[in-house]
Amino acid sequence: MQLDDLYRQVIMDHYQHPRNQGSIEGGVGDETLSVDLKNPTCGDEITLQMKIEEGLVTDVRFKGTGCSISMASASMMTEAIKGKPVEEALALAEEFRKMMKGEEFDADRMGDIEALAGVCRFPARIKCATLAWHALERGADKKN
Amino acid sequence: MDRAMIRRDFPILDQKINGKPLIYLDSAATSQKPRQVIEAVEKYYHEDNANVHRGVHTLGSRATDAYEGAREKVAAFIGAPSERQVVFTRGTTESLNMIAHGYARKRLREGDEIVITPMEHHSNLIPWQQAAMATGATLKYVPMQRDGTVSLADIEATVTQKTKIVAMVHVSNVLGTINPVKEAAAIAHRHGAVMIVDGAQSVPHMAIDVQDLDCDFLAFSGHKMMAPTGVGVLYGKREVLEQMEPAHFGGEMIETVELYRSTWKEIPWRFEGGTPIIAGAVGLAAAIDYLKGIGMDNVRRLDAELTNYALERLSAVEDLTIYGPLGERGGLVTFNVAGIHPHDVSTVLDSEGVAIRAGHHCAQPLMRWLNVAATARASFYVYNTENDIDVLARALETTKEFFGHAIG
């Protein structure tokens, strides 16, 4: 087990300097939805807000408490889906799921997020990494 | 009593994790099992396995003797007046739920009060929330002091003539606080309430005498005291057990079954519907023998010595916050490292072979009281040594270096 496989530099960077942290201006309304999700086994929490206009994620913000893996994953996820069609965001979530299972995934599509691939070798931490992605899927469901 | 000698009885501890010797510091979650317990369970399955209370054949008698013998051992271990007051359950959670459902709910009326503390494990909290909601009773909390203790004056002030139930954890699984349950029982009884003690973290670690405590119910788990998982105990005074309704109906617990009505066996068997965890009870009996061999006063002393050593060593680690009282406490130390989430701490410690618990420890209200999302916890038992603490302290320094470096 190599710790450096888990705590890659890019992950620590997102943990220390989270992107898209906070709430969307104007609050929850017709276009902006909010999802609260908890990992009941460890207490990690995330509030994910997404502004969806004409099928596009035009803004996304998150707030939460959790470990480096869960917060970095949330930060990277928001960066990746901002400005993308909802379907594309969901497809990315599917690729992420494959990555966490240790299955083959589309590395080109993942970009920086691939840094989290090492998490699959730390089974106890997979739930940390997937929390934000579950929130994304929950949010997309809400919109439909 | 020699820790190193005790340690040799625990085969699981003799292994490497991630290339480093295993340092197991999570006994408050579940304890490891000595070979004497493992062998007793193995022998039971090799030689004596049968169902209990029904077979006329020899194995049936042996299994029944082993199971009922375990009940006698448990009764003697906790000072119960009779083995008839010992009910085998799946564990503390089931024991407490049985009390809340079968005893408390039948007696609670609107306006009655249930008194607990903010440091309860979820298993001694949610059953009471649910009972309060179902009956219209009010759930009240004894306030906590800043150091994570409760004062007798506050217990006295919280318990009133309307209080029917006082339920309290004996030793906190997060703070290590040892609560004054004997004094609380006296206060409860003066107000006509019953006293329920959650002994999950106390029975494995100190001598318990239910008659001295004068509690009405005591709940605990086998797996935290060197026995297998899946077996626990509900002790009750005879009169409260007689008033309690069974939770599980079916085989093993009946006297006469007619088409439209049935009657139950006597206590405690009426509470043990279905085939019980016989091998678990056998393992629990072996665990009690093992603990008695060390002596519960020695167990307590070994825990206390190691906890004091841990408090001293960990206090010297910079940027560490330790929670809970500084005085007498159970065998655990809960802490946080500044700027590093306990999950991350636990992952780095694991890479050094050190197993601790990270999370909310099934005590979310207490986490909010501490104003943290989660904590890390190192917990001890008789097989832990000062070396284990030294390795933990060094591994915590490594953790800080690693994150200091990674964060830059």
Side-chain angles (χ1 to χ4, degrees), chain A residues 65-78:
Chain A
T65 55
C67 62
S68 57
I69 302 300
S70 69
M71 293 298 108
S73 183
S75 171
M76 293 164 114
M77 186 271 284
T78 58

Side-chain angles (χ1 to χ4, degrees), chain B residues 210-223:
Chain B
V210 288
Q211 294 186 73
D212 178 55
L213 294 180
D214 198 27
C215 55
D216 297 278
F217 289 104
L218 171 73
F220 59 98
S221 300
H223 72 94

Side-chain angles (χ1 to χ4, degrees), chain A residues 1 3-4 6-7 9 12 15-16 38-45 65-69 122 125 128, chain B residues 18 339-341 343-345 347-348 350-351 357-360 364 368 373-374 402-403 405-408:
Chain A
M1 184 174 86
L3 280 181
D4 293 334
L6 182 65
Y7 296 113
Q9 200 59 48
M12 300 316 289
Y15 177 45
Q16 269 212 301
K38 280 184 188 183
N39 177 349
T41 57
C42 63
D44 282 3
E45 290 182 9
T65 55
C67 62
S68 57
I69 302 300
F122 294 77
R125 304 300 298 276
C128 308
Chain B
N18 298 312
I340 312 177
H341 192 280
H343 286 168
D344 293 317
V345 172
T347 292
V348 181
D350 188 53
S351 75
R357 172 83 189 265
H360 54 56
Q364 290 183 13
R368 279 188 282 275
F402 180 81
F403 274 90
H405 178 72
I407 290 172

Side-chain angles (χ1 to χ4, degrees), chain B residues 157-178:
Chain B
T158 312
V159 177
T160 73
Q161 293 303 331
K162 290 184 194 164
T163 306
K164 294 290 184 290
I165 305 279
V166 178
M168 195 176 284
V169 67
H170 194 176
V171 173
S172 162
N173 68 316
V174 176
L175 302 169
T177 310
I178 303 176

Side-chain angles (χ1 to χ4, degrees), chain B residues 238-258:
Chain B
R238 190 175 286 267
E239 55 272 28
V240 291
L241 286 180
E242 291 289 0
Q243 291 165 18
M244 193 168 90
E245 293 279 328
H248 308 294
F249 301 100
E252 302 262 12
M253 54 78 66
I254 45 86
E255 186 184 59
T256 311
V257 178
E258 295 172 30

Side-chain angles (χ1 to χ4, degrees), chain B residues 66-317:
Chain B
Y67 185 66
E68 293 303 324
R71 198 189 303 279
E72 286 169 25
K73 245 171 206 157
V74 171
F77 188 66
I78 59 171
S82 157
E83 68 277 6
R84 299 274 304 274
Q85 290 166 254
V86 170
V87 181
F88 283 123
T89 66
R90 280 197 299 136
T92 308
T93 298
E94 186 174 68
S95 299
L96 292 167
N97 274 280
M98 278 166 71
I99 305 166
H101 270 270
Y103 179 84
R105 283 196 189 201
K106 301 282 183 299
R107 270 151 200 82
L108 290 167
R109 301 283 174 271
E110 202 170 331
D112 286 347
E113 295 168 352
I114 304 163
V115 170
I116 63 174
T117 77
M119 70 178 99
E120 301 308 321
H121 186 281
H122 293 162
S123 61
N124 198 32
L125 194 162
I126 305 166
W128 303 118
Q129 285 180 348
Q130 294 295 113
M133 275 191 265
T135 60
T138 306
L139 186 58
K140 286 170 73 177
Y141 288 87
V142 180
M144 266 163 62
Q145 308 292 308
R146 288 183 65 87
D147 68 348
T149 60
V150 291
S151 77
L152 286 178
D154 282 334
I155 299 172
E156 191 82 61
T158 312
V159 177
T160 73
Q161 293 303 331
K162 290 184 194 164
T163 306
K164 294 290 184 290
I165 305 279
V166 178
M168 195 176 284
V169 67
H170 194 176
V171 173
S172 162
N173 68 316
V174 176
L175 302 169
T177 310
I178 303 176
N179 282 316
V181 289
K182 179 179 174 172
E183 292 77 4
I187 294 168
H189 292 153
R190 248 198 335 275
H191 292 86
V194 299
M195 179 72 196
I196 298 159
V197 175
D198 170 357
Q201 300 291 349
S202 63
V203 176
H205 294 273
M206 57 183 72
I208 297 286
D209 184 323
V210 288
Q211 294 186 73
D212 178 55
L213 294 180
D214 198 27
C215 55
D216 297 278
F217 289 104
L218 171 73
F220 59 98
S221 300
H223 72 94
K224 293 190 201 290
M225 53 187 287
M226 304 186 183
T229 53
V231 65
V233 170
L234 168 59
Y235 156 84
K237 283 185 182 168
R238 190 175 286 267
E239 55 272 28
V240 291
L241 286 180
E242 291 289 0
Q243 291 165 18
M244 193 168 90
E245 293 279 328
H248 308 294
F249 301 100
E252 302 262 12
M253 54 78 66
I254 45 86
E255 186 184 59
T256 311
V257 178
E258 295 172 30
L259 283 177
Y260 298 103
R261 55 174 23 186
S262 299
T263 55
W264 322 138
K265 273 185 183 165
E266 293 179 276
I267 62 165
W269 300 286
R270 74 171 65 143
F271 303 115
E272 296 177 4
T275 298
I277 172 143
I278 308 163
V282 168
L284 179 55
I288 288 173
D289 285 341
Y290 186 85
L291 284 166
K292 278 188 161 172
I294 299 172
M296 288 313 287
D297 290 335
N298 285 326
V299 171
R300 174 77 193 118
R301 184 177 51 76
L302 289 167
D303 271 354
E305 280 172 11
L306 206 64
T307 306
N308 287 337
Y309 183 70
L311 286 170
E312 188 189 309
R313 282 291 268 137
L314 296 185
S315 300
V317 178

